[in-house]
Amino acid sequence: MLRWIVFAIVYIVVGLYALQALKTATRYPWVYYLFIAVSLLVLGNFVYQFTWGAAPGRVLSRPKSYAFGLMLAFFTFQLITILFLFSEDIFRVVSALYHKLTGNTRTFALPERRKFLSLLGLGIAALPFGALLYGMYKGKYNFQVLNYELEFEDLPDAFDGYRITQLSDIHSGSLDDRKKVEYAVNLVNEQESDVILFTGDLVNNLATEMAPWKDLFSTLKAKDGKFSVLGNHDYGDYVDWETEASKRQNLEDLKLIQRDIGFDLMLNESRYLQKGNDKVALVGVENWGRGGFKKAGNLKKAAATIDKNDFKILLSHDPSHWEDVVLFDDTHYHLTLSGHTHGMQFGIEIPGWVKWSPARWRYKYWAGIYKEKGQFINVNRGLGFLGYPGRVGIWPEISVITLKKKA
């Protein structure tokens, strides 16, 4: 409880400081009262959802997510505003001291705030504030189809032009608009890819989260099948289970749901895609992640039944596995498909110009196609969302990868 009291005090102090910008920018009292009322409502809802709210343990429910999203938007607005106020206040204090010490004034008196700086601070703060609200309202379902064409010298001839649709990080427990999700599923089917590969995090925590969506995702179609692996959230590690048995049952239920959807779940296993006499090996590992994430993936076990000379596609949820393990393995994996990062659901991407997200501070390979040691990886930005219930600049992604034989 102490941490919530401390947080509430900090939030209120920051809010009162930011209020000074409003008082300088406008003389209408109702604007101040509205700002105070909304700020307190956001704070009250946030504290309630994360203390006495309905969701038990560490489960991040939809009400918790939206409480967090609104808090993030308002707190960001306040912090950016006070950056301008603070810089001006430093100047005001220095100016007042100078006039006092030089005898220009008999008393220490701060100059009035300048309306221009307050308006500028409020205007700049409104940009991320509006973007975060837009991301919650529209951005989280702004689905993008990203097409990639990758060339390989040793691609089997029959697979020249082979199309792969990669999905990742559905996080069904966060989804809340069936029509939008149905649009995404139809968008996947419109690609008419040869195979669909899903790289983990079907749910946030509980297998039951998928119940309202199972029938919809079972309509995903690909002529050569649908294959999947588990992500870190699929194991139920972020729930305070009453018994270990209930946690194991949750995972078994999730495996059954994947089967009902039509996914061939690979648990440190491999499969072959066959076209005539040519074949491509699919290798699927369980989650392996750096920095405290579950390390159930076993690359050697997963590849035990394939030939070292096969053309290989690896499904591994966390791109840190590729960076730390796959690139240094004796076996050459031509293409690895990952997800996990979500691109932090926030950033700026202008193809050919800018590609930035806070995700790059944690992951070297955080979104899109990378090539190292003659091996490719695609880090899918994810179809769903988690934590902050929105996306800004890093939109939900459907990856379509075309394999080409290099001339």
Side-chain angles (χ1 to χ4, degrees), residues 93-390:
V93 169
V94 171
S95 177
L97 284 172
Y98 172 78
H99 287 294
K100 171 66 175 173
L101 294 174
T102 57
N104 292 333
T105 59
R106 293 184 179 181
T107 59
F108 179 81
L110 293 174
E112 287 189 2
R113 295 186 186 277
R114 285 176 288 183
K115 187 175 181 179
F116 169 75
L117 276 179
S118 291
L119 286 171
L120 181 62
L122 290 169
I124 292 176
L127 294 177
F129 175 73
L132 288 168
L133 292 182
Y134 172 83
M136 295 167 62
Y137 177 62
K138 287 277 191 180
K140 61 186 178 183
Y141 293 126
N142 185 24
F143 300 107
Q144 307 287 307
V145 178
L146 301 185
N147 289 277
Y148 304 104
E149 189 172 286
L150 303 180
E151 291 187 335
F152 303 89
E153 292 181 352
D154 53 349
L155 179 70
D157 293 337
F159 285 86
D160 186 21
Y162 195 79
R163 285 167 61 86
I164 298 167
T165 288
Q166 181 198 356
L167 302 176
S168 193
D169 299 271
I170 290 173
H171 287 288
S172 56
S174 299
L175 303 177
D176 54 11
D177 190 324
R178 189 172 181 88
K179 285 187 177 179
K180 296 292 187 182
V181 179
E182 186 175 346
Y183 169 76
V185 170
N186 291 335
L187 196 58
V188 173
N189 288 333
E190 286 173 10
Q191 307 312 308
E192 297 183 342
S193 291
D194 297 286
V195 68
I196 293 175
L197 304 178
F198 174 64
T199 48
D201 277 1
L202 188 63
V203 297
N204 294 347
N205 297 287
L206 308 174
T208 53
E209 295 167 6
M210 196 62 194
W213 309 101
K214 186 170 69 172
D215 62 325
L216 182 55
F217 280 94
S218 65
T219 63
L220 289 169
K221 295 179 293 185
K223 61 183 179 181
D224 289 345
K226 302 177 288 187
F227 301 85
S228 66
V229 293
L230 296 175
N232 56 298
H233 280 270
D234 294 323
Y235 295 91
D237 287 342
Y238 310 118
V239 176
D240 296 325
W241 299 95
E242 292 184 2
T243 65
E244 192 63 30
S246 58
K247 179 181 178 180
R248 288 195 299 269
Q249 186 59 53
N250 180 72
L251 181 56
E252 293 305 314
D253 291 344
L254 185 67
K255 292 176 182 178
L256 289 175
I257 288 172
Q258 294 230 16
R259 186 188 67 187
D260 292 342
I261 292 173
F263 286 149
D264 183 352
L265 178 62
M266 294 186 288
L267 302 167
N268 293 325
E269 299 171 287
S270 62
R271 309 282 190 268
Y272 276 110
L273 299 172
Q274 195 87 29
K275 292 180 76 67
N277 294 324
D278 291 335
K279 61 183 180 180
V280 164
L282 283 183
V283 181
V285 296
E286 294 196 50
N287 190 80
W288 192 103
R290 181 203 306 148
F293 288 106
K294 195 178 194 73
K295 290 181 171 61
N298 188 326
L299 191 59
K300 296 297 184 185
K301 179 181 177 183
T305 59
I306 66 171
D307 191 277
K308 198 169 185 177
N309 295 319
D310 288 331
F311 186 93
K312 294 170 285 296
I313 299 174
L314 173 66
L315 279 64
S316 180
H317 177 69
D318 192 317
S320 66
H321 185 227
W322 188 70
E323 182 182 355
D324 294 352
V325 178
V326 178
L327 286 175
F328 301 97
D329 194 83
D330 294 336
T331 301
H332 180 91
Y333 290 90
H334 299 76
L335 172 62
T336 296
L337 303 178
S338 297
H340 183 63
T341 72
H342 300 203
M344 289 284 281
Q345 297 169 208
F346 180 86
I348 302 171
E349 287 195 271
I350 303 175
W353 292 87
V354 179
K355 182 180 178 181
W356 178 88
S357 164
R360 69 193 298 268
W361 298 334
R362 180 174 175 87
Y363 295 97
K364 182 178 179 180
Y365 310 102
W366 59 272
I369 297 288
Y370 302 90
K371 186 178 182 181
E372 298 282 355
K373 299 184 176 182
Q375 303 176 63
F376 288 97
I377 184 173
N378 181 51
V379 184
N380 184 284
R381 294 161 180 82
L383 195 74
F385 49 91
L386 182 70
Y388 165 61

